[in-house]
Amino acid sequence: MTRNPQTGSEFSLAHLLDDIRDHVRPAFGRGKVADYIPELAGVNPRKFGMAVATLEGEDIGTGDCDEPFSLQSITKLFALILALNRGGDEVWMRVGKEPSGTPFNHLAILEAEQGAPRNPFVNAGALAVTDYLMGKTADVAGLMAGFIRFSGAVEGGAINDAVAASEITTAYKNRAIANILRAHETIDNEPNAVVDAYCRQCALEFSVRDLARAALPLAASGYSPRAGETIMAPRLVRRVNAVMMTCGMYESTGSFAYRVGLPAKSGVGGGIVAVAPGRGTIAVWSPELDRVGNSLVGTIALELFAQNSGWSIL
Ligand code: GLU
């Protein structure tokens, strides 16, 4: 049993997740699966998986919680952690920490601000972080897959080459962004090489159970209860959680904070990972997206979770 810190009452995480799975069902059909990456368009829109990993080592899931899905922008979170671990504050010379209030692949603001990305979670910032990691490894996606596996002590996960190829052939906007970044010397590598590395990273697939496990150090001051090691410094954890809280949910970051009250990062594959500091992590996957690109059903599920568990930092 788990204690609700707001009401003091005890509840079962397993029952709560199953209840949420049943409650969200009427919301299916209200969103739209991402189709601007052709390979993602074929995903079954009715998929739903949710998992919670706790600091005590509990690990609970419901629905399609063990089925790998396309992490997409959720990889920006792991890229940021890897970059901060390797370069510390040097990373902030390339990207800012302010919400953008614009779509994740917006161009005009980047040009107006001399190629300085607002934050690491818009595509411009993520491309700059990937470029930084390319200075440390020839295989950013491979490095990230290894890090996710180590952090969560999980074995699954793979790069979906068809999804990567599909995005690489249609990445017109990301190429434009990368070219602006190169023109302003925000990135060091050739724009096309950076876009390719970024698309491969976005094509990583893990299940929500593995995702919740891998993100657990963000709830545990950098310690991975599963790996039995500290994988990032506590001061970096605070920074990453702050950027998630203010920039993690596209242009709905404010309303997500209002509804859920947890730092989180979403991706157009329909996944969201949320952090409840000192308690655990929650990952959800449901491919239909709302108008800004967040999982519609996933957001409802997290709202229900926060309401009923009392796990909210606000
Ligand atoms: N690979 C996607 C893109 O750059 C990720 C977008 C997202 O998940 O927000 O368009």
Side-chain angles (χ1 to χ4, degrees):
M1 295 297 274
T2 305
R3 209 176 66 84
N4 180 322
Q6 287 175 9
T7 62
S9 58
E10 302 260 305
F11 67 96
S12 149
L13 273 171
H15 287 157
L16 176 56
L17 292 193
D18 287 344
D19 281 353
I20 290 173
R21 190 197 58 209
D22 295 341
H23 263 86
V24 297
R25 217 161 262 154
F28 284 122
R30 282 171 37 198
K32 198 170 163 299
V33 172
D35 56 7
Y36 75 100
I37 300 173
E39 196 67 25
L40 290 184
V43 175
N44 178 352
R46 299 292 157 111
K47 290 283 177 187
F48 178 84
M50 190 167 189
V52 175
T54 70
L55 264 55
E56 292 75 36
E58 246 189 316
D59 190 324
I60 297 112
T62 192
D64 304 305
C65 61
D66 291 308
E67 189 170 323
F69 68 97
S70 196
L71 292 189
Q72 293 298 324
S73 273
I74 295 175
T75 63
K76 295 172 181 173
L77 172 63
F78 294 103
L80 178 63
I81 295 172
L82 281 167
L84 287 172
N85 268 353
R86 277 171 176 68
D89 288 332
E90 199 181 294
V91 175
W92 304 117
M93 314 262 292
R94 293 176 173 236
V95 296
K97 320 171 188 75
E98 299 298 342
S100 77
T102 56
F104 60 92
N105 55 5
H106 200 259
L107 269 171
I109 198 171
L110 180 67
E111 177 61 352
E113 296 181 355
Q114 284 80 45
R118 280 279 175 101
N119 66 65
F121 293 158
V122 288
N123 284 12
L127 286 161
V129 173
T130 298
D131 174 72
Y132 179 81
L133 291 173
M134 287 168 77
K136 315 280 173 198
T137 173
D139 178 12
V140 173
L143 175 75
M144 194 174 295
F147 179 76
I148 292 172
R149 289 192 192 107
F150 178 74
S151 177
V154 300
E155 284 173 2
I159 297 168
N160 183 324
D161 290 319
V163 171
S166 170
E167 184 171 9
I168 285 169
T169 27
T170 55
Y172 306 113
K173 273 208 129 177
N174 283 332
R175 278 184 214 291
I177 292 170
N179 277 288
I180 294 177
L181 291 171
R182 187 71 186 86
H184 289 282
E185 297 179 0
T186 308
I187 59 173
D188 302 322
N189 294 284
E190 274 309 300
N192 282 340
V194 178
V195 170
D196 289 2
Y198 166 77
C199 291
R200 282 186 65 71
Q201 149 197 331
C202 285
L204 277 173
E205 295 188 341
F206 281 86
S207 67
V208 283
R209 193 190 294 276
D210 287 350
L211 180 58
R213 289 165 165 174
L216 203 46
L218 291 171
S221 304
Y223 181 75
S224 165
R226 293 182 51 87
E229 268 186 50
T230 294
I231 62 144
M232 59 188 299
R235 73 187 178 85
L236 297 182
V237 172
R238 271 204 311 279
R239 289 176 179 184
V240 172
N241 284 338
V243 180
M244 286 173 92
M245 194 77 203
T246 51
C247 311
M249 299 295 293
Y250 309 120
E251 307 97 281
S252 291
T253 303
S255 54
F256 185 87
Y258 180 90
R259 287 170 65 183
V260 179
L262 293 172
K265 182 72 202 90
S266 60
V268 295
I272 306 175
V273 61
V275 179
R279 305 191 191 287
T281 43
I282 311 106
V284 62
W285 170 50
S286 173
E288 290 183 343
L289 308 180
D290 63 17
R291 88 194 145 73
V292 303
N294 293 317
S295 171
L296 190 143
V297 173
T299 303
I300 297 171
L302 285 167
E303 187 174 16
L304 287 170
F305 182 87
Q307 274 166 10
N308 289 288
S309 65
W311 287 18
S312 170
I313 65 169
L314 302 172

